[in-house]
Amino acid sequence: MARGRAGRDGWQGNPDDEHVVDEERIPAVVHRSPRYGRFLVIGVLSGVALALLYVFVGNPGGPASDSLGGAFRVAGVLSVVFAGLGLLVSALVVLVVDAVISRRRRMLQAQRDTTLVDDLRRPVSDDPPPWRPPTDPDPTTRPR
């Protein structure tokens, strides 16, 4: 399982420098799921569009919708109501779609490898990094 990897400095891994330390295979369930956010946004937008069509194409009636300003107020209130209804309907639709799609799930084997790479350009050491200040090994000599 040796693959070349490009790091931040463009280093390409040599397959001879990689050592697989541990391989683990576990069962995994794979299935598709719908994008909930997209369904909900479409539901809200369709509810607002239906409210605007109802106000400006249909005739909601009433004294508040006689003038143009009153029609915009009615459109605002109905937009909120219809957006909520559109959200509710789209949430139910996405739950049904998810239930139908989740029946077609498959069991697969997932593999996880733990790989150590020998990087001779920057070898690992036990020395502290150069940006850290030196630490005092004796805690009793700390100033208080």
Side-chain angles (χ1 to χ4, degrees):
M1 278 282 163
R3 278 181 244 154
R5 294 184 183 97
R8 279 182 281 165
D9 56 357
W11 177 75
Q12 291 289 330
N14 184 0
D16 296 334
D17 294 339
E18 294 184 357
H19 308 286
V20 176
V21 178
D22 184 33
E23 285 186 3
E24 181 180 6
R25 292 182 183 264
I26 55 174
V29 177
V30 179
H31 67 92
R32 297 178 59 128
S33 66
R35 303 216 180 234
Y36 289 89
R38 291 182 184 175
F39 272 88
L40 298 179
V41 168
I42 288 172
V44 168
L45 292 178
S46 63
V48 170
L50 283 175
L52 293 176
L53 280 174
Y54 179 70
V55 169
F56 292 113
V57 174
N59 188 8
S65 64
D66 289 340
S67 67
L68 187 60
F72 280 115
R73 282 191 215 117
V74 171
V77 171
L78 287 180
S79 292
V80 171
V81 172
F82 279 41
L85 291 174
L87 183 69
L88 181 66
V89 169
S90 66
L92 292 175
V93 167
V94 76
L95 288 176
V96 169
V97 168
D98 187 30
V100 169
I101 288 176
S102 66
R103 290 184 197 160
R104 297 188 306 180
R105 56 183 157 188
R106 297 179 301 188
M107 291 293 292
L108 297 177
Q109 292 289 321
Q111 179 178 351
R112 184 175 76 183
D113 295 340
T114 304
T115 306
L116 295 179
V117 178
D118 297 331
D119 186 4
L120 299 179
R121 292 183 196 169
R122 291 176 292 177
V124 178
S125 67
D126 290 335
D127 298 333
W131 61 85
R132 289 191 61 201
T135 57
D136 192 8
D138 187 11
T140 58
T141 61
R142 279 190 187 158
R144 293 184 187 233

Short mmCIF file of all heavy atoms in Angstrom, two decimals, residues 43-52 55 72-88:
data_model
loop_
_atom_site.label_atom_id
_atom_site.label_comp_id
_atom_site.label_asym_id
_atom_site.label_seq_id
_atom_site.Cartn_x
_atom_site.Cartn_y
_atom_site.Cartn_z
N GLY A 43 -38.27 24.13 -0.53
CA GLY A 43 -39.61 24.21 0.07
C GLY A 43 -39.95 25.63 0.49
O GLY A 43 -41.07 26.10 0.26
N VAL A 44 -39.01 26.32 1.12
CA VAL A 44 -39.25 27.70 1.55
C VAL A 44 -39.46 28.61 0.34
O VAL A 44 -40.39 29.42 0.30
CB VAL A 44 -38.09 28.20 2.44
CG1 VAL A 44 -38.18 29.69 2.66
CG2 VAL A 44 -38.10 27.48 3.77
N LEU A 45 -38.59 28.49 -0.66
CA LEU A 45 -38.70 29.34 -1.84
C LEU A 45 -40.00 29.08 -2.61
O LEU A 45 -40.64 30.02 -3.11
CB LEU A 45 -37.50 29.15 -2.74
CG LEU A 45 -36.16 29.66 -2.18
CD1 LEU A 45 -35.04 29.38 -3.15
CD2 LEU A 45 -36.24 31.14 -1.85
N SER A 46 -40.42 27.83 -2.69
CA SER A 46 -41.67 27.54 -3.39
C SER A 46 -42.86 28.06 -2.59
O SER A 46 -43.85 28.52 -3.18
CB SER A 46 -41.80 26.04 -3.67
OG SER A 46 -41.84 25.34 -2.45
N GLY A 47 -42.80 28.04 -1.27
CA GLY A 47 -43.87 28.62 -0.45
C GLY A 47 -43.98 30.12 -0.64
O GLY A 47 -45.09 30.67 -0.76
N VAL A 48 -42.86 30.82 -0.68
CA VAL A 48 -42.88 32.26 -0.92
C VAL A 48 -43.41 32.56 -2.32
O VAL A 48 -44.21 33.49 -2.51
CB VAL A 48 -41.46 32.86 -0.71
CG1 VAL A 48 -41.40 34.30 -1.18
CG2 VAL A 48 -41.07 32.77 0.75
N ALA A 49 -43.01 31.79 -3.32
CA ALA A 49 -43.49 32.00 -4.68
C ALA A 49 -45.00 31.78 -4.76
O ALA A 49 -45.71 32.56 -5.43
CB ALA A 49 -42.76 31.07 -5.65
N LEU A 50 -45.51 30.76 -4.08
CA LEU A 50 -46.95 30.53 -4.08
C LEU A 50 -47.71 31.66 -3.41
O LEU A 50 -48.80 32.07 -3.85
CB LEU A 50 -47.28 29.20 -3.41
CG LEU A 50 -47.03 27.95 -4.22
CD1 LEU A 50 -47.29 26.70 -3.38
CD2 LEU A 50 -47.90 27.94 -5.45
N ALA A 51 -47.15 32.21 -2.33
CA ALA A 51 -47.79 33.33 -1.64
C ALA A 51 -47.85 34.56 -2.55
O ALA A 51 -48.87 35.24 -2.61
CB ALA A 51 -47.05 33.64 -0.35
N LEU A 52 -46.75 34.85 -3.23
CA LEU A 52 -46.74 36.00 -4.13
C LEU A 52 -47.71 35.81 -5.29
O LEU A 52 -48.40 36.75 -5.70
CB LEU A 52 -45.32 36.26 -4.62
CG LEU A 52 -44.32 36.71 -3.54
CD1 LEU A 52 -42.93 36.85 -4.14
CD2 LEU A 52 -44.78 38.00 -2.88
N VAL A 55 -51.28 36.42 -3.99
CA VAL A 55 -51.62 37.81 -3.72
C VAL A 55 -51.76 38.61 -5.00
O VAL A 55 -52.71 39.38 -5.17
CB VAL A 55 -50.57 38.45 -2.78
CG1 VAL A 55 -50.76 39.95 -2.70
CG2 VAL A 55 -50.68 37.84 -1.40
N PHE A 72 -48.78 44.56 -0.51
CA PHE A 72 -47.44 44.14 -0.10
C PHE A 72 -47.42 43.63 1.34
O PHE A 72 -46.69 42.70 1.67
CB PHE A 72 -46.44 45.27 -0.28
CG PHE A 72 -45.97 45.44 -1.70
CD1 PHE A 72 -46.26 46.59 -2.41
CD2 PHE A 72 -45.25 44.44 -2.32
CE1 PHE A 72 -45.84 46.74 -3.72
CE2 PHE A 72 -44.82 44.57 -3.63
CZ PHE A 72 -45.13 45.73 -4.33
N ARG A 73 -48.26 44.26 2.20
CA ARG A 73 -48.33 43.77 3.58
C ARG A 73 -48.94 42.36 3.62
O ARG A 73 -48.46 41.49 4.34
CB ARG A 73 -49.17 44.73 4.43
CG ARG A 73 -48.43 45.94 4.82
CD ARG A 73 -49.20 46.74 5.86
NE ARG A 73 -48.93 48.14 5.61
CZ ARG A 73 -49.82 49.05 5.26
NH1 ARG A 73 -51.09 48.72 5.17
NH2 ARG A 73 -49.47 50.28 5.02
N VAL A 74 -49.99 42.18 2.86
CA VAL A 74 -50.61 40.86 2.80
C VAL A 74 -49.63 39.85 2.21
O VAL A 74 -49.53 38.70 2.67
CB VAL A 74 -51.92 40.92 1.98
CG1 VAL A 74 -52.46 39.52 1.71
CG2 VAL A 74 -52.95 41.75 2.70
N ALA A 75 -48.88 40.27 1.19
CA ALA A 75 -47.89 39.36 0.58
C ALA A 75 -46.81 38.99 1.59
O ALA A 75 -46.37 37.83 1.63
CB ALA A 75 -47.25 40.03 -0.64
N GLY A 76 -46.39 39.93 2.43
CA GLY A 76 -45.38 39.62 3.44
C GLY A 76 -45.88 38.61 4.47
O GLY A 76 -45.19 37.65 4.81
N VAL A 77 -47.10 38.83 4.95
CA VAL A 77 -47.66 37.90 5.95
C VAL A 77 -47.89 36.53 5.33
O VAL A 77 -47.53 35.50 5.92
CB VAL A 77 -48.98 38.48 6.52
CG1 VAL A 77 -49.69 37.45 7.38
CG2 VAL A 77 -48.71 39.74 7.33
N LEU A 78 -48.46 36.50 4.14
CA LEU A 78 -48.70 35.20 3.51
C LEU A 78 -47.40 34.51 3.09
O LEU A 78 -47.35 33.28 3.07
CB LEU A 78 -49.63 35.36 2.30
CG LEU A 78 -51.09 35.65 2.60
CD1 LEU A 78 -51.89 35.79 1.33
CD2 LEU A 78 -51.68 34.57 3.48
N SER A 79 -46.38 35.30 2.79
CA SER A 79 -45.09 34.68 2.47
C SER A 79 -44.53 33.92 3.67
O SER A 79 -43.99 32.82 3.52
CB SER A 79 -44.09 35.74 2.01
OG SER A 79 -44.46 36.29 0.79
N VAL A 80 -44.65 34.51 4.84
CA VAL A 80 -44.16 33.83 6.05
C VAL A 80 -44.98 32.56 6.30
O VAL A 80 -44.42 31.49 6.60
CB VAL A 80 -44.23 34.79 7.26
CG1 VAL A 80 -43.94 34.05 8.55
CG2 VAL A 80 -43.27 35.94 7.08
N VAL A 81 -46.28 32.66 6.16
CA VAL A 81 -47.14 31.49 6.41
C VAL A 81 -46.86 30.40 5.37
O VAL A 81 -46.68 29.22 5.72
CB VAL A 81 -48.62 31.91 6.40
CG1 VAL A 81 -49.53 30.68 6.45
CG2 VAL A 81 -48.91 32.83 7.57
N PHE A 82 -46.84 30.78 4.09
CA PHE A 82 -46.62 29.79 3.04
C PHE A 82 -45.20 29.24 3.08
O PHE A 82 -44.99 28.08 2.72
CB PHE A 82 -46.92 30.40 1.67
CG PHE A 82 -48.39 30.43 1.32
CD1 PHE A 82 -49.35 30.76 2.25
CD2 PHE A 82 -48.81 30.14 0.04
CE1 PHE A 82 -50.69 30.81 1.93
CE2 PHE A 82 -50.14 30.17 -0.30
CZ PHE A 82 -51.10 30.52 0.66
N ALA A 83 -44.23 30.04 3.49
CA ALA A 83 -42.85 29.53 3.62
C ALA A 83 -42.79 28.46 4.70
O ALA A 83 -42.11 27.44 4.55
CB ALA A 83 -41.89 30.66 3.92
N GLY A 84 -43.50 28.68 5.81
CA GLY A 84 -43.56 27.66 6.86
C GLY A 84 -44.21 26.38 6.38
O GLY A 84 -43.75 25.28 6.68
N LEU A 85 -45.31 26.54 5.63
CA LEU A 85 -45.97 25.34 5.08
C LEU A 85 -45.08 24.63 4.06
O LEU A 85 -45.03 23.40 4.03
CB LEU A 85 -47.30 25.73 4.45
CG LEU A 85 -48.40 26.20 5.42
CD1 LEU A 85 -49.62 26.68 4.66
CD2 LEU A 85 -48.75 25.07 6.36
N GLY A 86 -44.38 25.41 3.23
CA GLY A 86 -43.46 24.80 2.26
C GLY A 86 -42.32 24.07 2.95
O GLY A 86 -41.89 23.00 2.51
N LEU A 87 -41.84 24.65 4.06
CA LEU A 87 -40.79 24.00 4.84
C LEU A 87 -41.27 22.68 5.42
O LEU A 87 -40.57 21.67 5.38
CB LEU A 87 -40.31 24.95 5.93
CG LEU A 87 -39.18 24.48 6.81
CD1 LEU A 87 -37.89 24.42 6.00
CD2 LEU A 87 -39.00 25.42 7.99
N LEU A 88 -42.48 22.69 5.95
CA LEU A 88 -43.05 21.47 6.53
C LEU A 88 -43.23 20.38 5.47
O LEU A 88 -42.86 19.23 5.68
CB LEU A 88 -44.39 21.80 7.20
CG LEU A 88 -45.11 20.64 7.87
CD1 LEU A 88 -44.31 20.15 9.06
CD2 LEU A 88 -46.49 21.04 8.29
#
